């Protein structure tokens, strides 16, 4: 008896989609060839034709999630030009993505993008271009632009990480605190513009 047609018609994207479905349901521990094969009702060797093991599977999933995140942010900032509005919309989009897809967000932020890797360098460039668009009206030097990008990234990802860990236990609304932080980032960027390097 031959293999099921499903295995023959399986694509790499099918494998990645199944892995993301497992991730959404069960968390990061589900990102393995054996678990994904069960999700697809196939034998694990069928996956190896598309992705060479758990590391390759996890990498493909992380890259796909990064692409989903970039598209998510693009849709939510489309048509905005004013830097403060762009920054705040981008910050809200990031937090909304993390809330809508907490497991995906964790996998995405734990995956290191590398400028020397052709696949990840394009994603870095897209994120960099968005932040540059947000910050361009401040006329920051190259070093100050890097400082501002790092500050924005650290503030947003740090807030989300603490929130996801359930460590924000005071009575104040986290939504209100997030908005205050986003406003404070605008002030901080203006300060970077004024200080000497």
């Amino acid at each position: 008896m031959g293999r099921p047609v499903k295995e023959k018609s399986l694509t790499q994207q099918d494998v990645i989609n199944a892995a993301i479905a497992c991730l959404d349901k069960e968390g990061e521990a589900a990102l393995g060839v054996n678990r994904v094969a069960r999700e697809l009702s196939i034998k694990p060797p069928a996956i190896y034709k598309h992705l060479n093991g758990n590391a390759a599977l996890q990498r493909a999933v992380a890259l796909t999630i990064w692409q989903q995140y970039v598209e998510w942010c693009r849709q939510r900032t489309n048509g905005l030009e004013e830097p403060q509005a762009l920054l705040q919309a981008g910050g809200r989009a990031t937090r909304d993505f993390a809330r809508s897809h907490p497991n995906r967000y964790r996998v995405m932020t734990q995956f290191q993008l590398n400028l020397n890797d052709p696949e990840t360098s394009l994603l870095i460039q897209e994120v960099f271009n968005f932040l540059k668009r947000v910050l361009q009206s401040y006329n920051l030097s190259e070093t100050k632009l890097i400082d501002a990008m790092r500050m924005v990234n650290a503030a947003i990802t740090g807030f989300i990480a603490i929130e996801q860990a359930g460590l924000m236990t005071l009575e104040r609304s986290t939504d209100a605190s997030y908005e205050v932080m986003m406003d404070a980032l605008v002030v901080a960027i203006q300060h970077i513009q004024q200080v000497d390097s």
Side-chain angles (χ1 to χ4, degrees), residues 5 43 54 80 83 93 140 146 182 185 196:
V5 176
K43 294 190 182 334
N54 288 338
L80 296 175
L140 301 173
I146 292 169
M182 293 306 300
L185 283 173
D196 292 331

PDB file of all heavy atoms in Angstrom, residues 5 43 54 80 83 93 140 146 182 185 196:
ATOM      1  N   VAL A   5      -2.068  10.237   0.009  1.00  0.00           N
ATOM      2  CA  VAL A   5      -1.887  11.368  -0.911  1.00  0.00           C
ATOM      3  C   VAL A   5      -1.446  12.601  -0.145  1.00  0.00           C
ATOM      4  O   VAL A   5      -0.660  13.399  -0.626  1.00  0.00           O
ATOM      5  CB  VAL A   5      -3.199  11.642  -1.687  1.00  0.00           C
ATOM      6  CG1 VAL A   5      -3.059  12.872  -2.574  1.00  0.00           C
ATOM      7  CG2 VAL A   5      -3.583  10.441  -2.517  1.00  0.00           C
ATOM      8  N   LYS A  43       3.674  10.514   9.082  1.00  0.00           N
ATOM      9  CA  LYS A  43       4.855  10.013   9.797  1.00  0.00           C
ATOM     10  C   LYS A  43       5.944  11.091   9.761  1.00  0.00           C
ATOM     11  O   LYS A  43       6.077  11.811   8.764  1.00  0.00           O
ATOM     12  CB  LYS A  43       5.347   8.728   9.162  1.00  0.00           C
ATOM     13  CG  LYS A  43       4.355   7.579   9.306  1.00  0.00           C
ATOM     14  CD  LYS A  43       4.989   6.289   8.881  1.00  0.00           C
ATOM     15  CE  LYS A  43       4.066   5.093   8.947  1.00  0.00           C
ATOM     16  NZ  LYS A  43       2.990   5.065   9.826  1.00  0.00           N
ATOM     17  N   ASN A  54      14.180  19.546  14.032  1.00  0.00           N
ATOM     18  CA  ASN A  54      13.516  20.505  14.921  1.00  0.00           C
ATOM     19  C   ASN A  54      14.058  21.923  14.782  1.00  0.00           C
ATOM     20  O   ASN A  54      13.292  22.886  14.780  1.00  0.00           O
ATOM     21  CB  ASN A  54      13.645  20.047  16.375  1.00  0.00           C
ATOM     22  CG  ASN A  54      12.769  18.844  16.676  1.00  0.00           C
ATOM     23  OD1 ASN A  54      11.786  18.593  15.982  1.00  0.00           O
ATOM     24  ND2 ASN A  54      13.113  18.102  17.701  1.00  0.00           N
ATOM     25  N   LEU A  80      -0.420  56.469   7.941  1.00  0.00           N
ATOM     26  CA  LEU A  80       0.042  57.419   8.965  1.00  0.00           C
ATOM     27  C   LEU A  80       1.390  58.002   8.561  1.00  0.00           C
ATOM     28  O   LEU A  80       2.261  57.278   8.085  1.00  0.00           O
ATOM     29  CB  LEU A  80       0.179  56.723  10.321  1.00  0.00           C
ATOM     30  CG  LEU A  80      -1.107  56.180  10.951  1.00  0.00           C
ATOM     31  CD1 LEU A  80      -0.791  55.414  12.221  1.00  0.00           C
ATOM     32  CD2 LEU A  80      -2.075  57.322  11.249  1.00  0.00           C
ATOM     33  N   PRO A  83       5.113  61.390  12.878  1.00  0.00           N
ATOM     34  CA  PRO A  83       5.976  60.484  13.648  1.00  0.00           C
ATOM     35  C   PRO A  83       5.396  59.992  14.967  1.00  0.00           C
ATOM     36  O   PRO A  83       5.485  58.812  15.286  1.00  0.00           O
ATOM     37  CB  PRO A  83       7.244  61.307  13.881  1.00  0.00           C
ATOM     38  CG  PRO A  83       7.255  62.313  12.798  1.00  0.00           C
ATOM     39  CD  PRO A  83       5.819  62.609  12.488  1.00  0.00           C
ATOM     40  N   ALA A  93       0.251  48.259  17.941  1.00  0.00           N
ATOM     41  CA  ALA A  93       0.180  47.078  17.072  1.00  0.00           C
ATOM     42  C   ALA A  93       1.025  45.943  17.636  1.00  0.00           C
ATOM     43  O   ALA A  93       0.607  44.778  17.622  1.00  0.00           O
ATOM     44  CB  ALA A  93       0.639  47.436  15.656  1.00  0.00           C
ATOM     45  N   LEU A 140      17.931  62.719  13.652  1.00  0.00           N
ATOM     46  CA  LEU A 140      18.936  62.131  14.536  1.00  0.00           C
ATOM     47  C   LEU A 140      20.153  61.678  13.741  1.00  0.00           C
ATOM     48  O   LEU A 140      20.028  61.201  12.615  1.00  0.00           O
ATOM     49  CB  LEU A 140      18.341  60.925  15.278  1.00  0.00           C
ATOM     50  CG  LEU A 140      17.118  61.195  16.155  1.00  0.00           C
ATOM     51  CD1 LEU A 140      16.553  59.884  16.685  1.00  0.00           C
ATOM     52  CD2 LEU A 140      17.469  62.118  17.308  1.00  0.00           C
ATOM     53  N   ILE A 146      20.308  54.866  16.389  1.00  0.00           N
ATOM     54  CA  ILE A 146      20.475  53.531  16.983  1.00  0.00           C
ATOM     55  C   ILE A 146      20.059  53.549  18.448  1.00  0.00           C
ATOM     56  O   ILE A 146      19.344  52.661  18.921  1.00  0.00           O
ATOM     57  CB  ILE A 146      21.921  53.029  16.812  1.00  0.00           C
ATOM     58  CG1 ILE A 146      22.205  52.756  15.335  1.00  0.00           C
ATOM     59  CG2 ILE A 146      22.174  51.773  17.646  1.00  0.00           C
ATOM     60  CD1 ILE A 146      23.662  52.511  15.011  1.00  0.00           C
ATOM     61  N   MET A 182       4.258  55.121  26.094  1.00  0.00           N
ATOM     62  CA  MET A 182       4.406  55.516  24.693  1.00  0.00           C
ATOM     63  C   MET A 182       4.575  57.032  24.578  1.00  0.00           C
ATOM     64  O   MET A 182       5.395  57.518  23.795  1.00  0.00           O
ATOM     65  CB  MET A 182       3.203  55.040  23.863  1.00  0.00           C
ATOM     66  CG  MET A 182       3.088  53.522  23.730  1.00  0.00           C
ATOM     67  SD  MET A 182       4.566  52.693  23.085  1.00  0.00           S
ATOM     68  CE  MET A 182       4.745  53.460  21.485  1.00  0.00           C
ATOM     69  N   LEU A 185       8.076  57.906  25.629  1.00  0.00           N
ATOM     70  CA  LEU A 185       9.078  57.590  24.600  1.00  0.00           C
ATOM     71  C   LEU A 185       9.252  58.752  23.628  1.00  0.00           C
ATOM     72  O   LEU A 185      10.369  59.034  23.195  1.00  0.00           O
ATOM     73  CB  LEU A 185       8.692  56.311  23.841  1.00  0.00           C
ATOM     74  CG  LEU A 185       8.957  55.001  24.567  1.00  0.00           C
ATOM     75  CD1 LEU A 185       8.376  53.823  23.782  1.00  0.00           C
ATOM     76  CD2 LEU A 185      10.459  54.793  24.786  1.00  0.00           C
ATOM     77  N   ASP A 196      24.296  65.903  23.492  1.00  0.00           N
ATOM     78  CA  ASP A 196      25.482  65.623  22.678  1.00  0.00           C
ATOM     79  C   ASP A 196      25.756  64.131  22.713  1.00  0.00           C
ATOM     80  O   ASP A 196      25.518  63.459  23.717  1.00  0.00           O
ATOM     81  CB  ASP A 196      26.687  66.368  23.253  1.00  0.00           C
ATOM     82  CG  ASP A 196      26.539  67.866  23.085  1.00  0.00           C
ATOM     83  OD1 ASP A 196      25.884  68.283  22.117  1.00  0.00           O
ATOM     84  OD2 ASP A 196      27.061  68.611  23.944  1.00  0.00           O
TER      85      ASP A 196
END
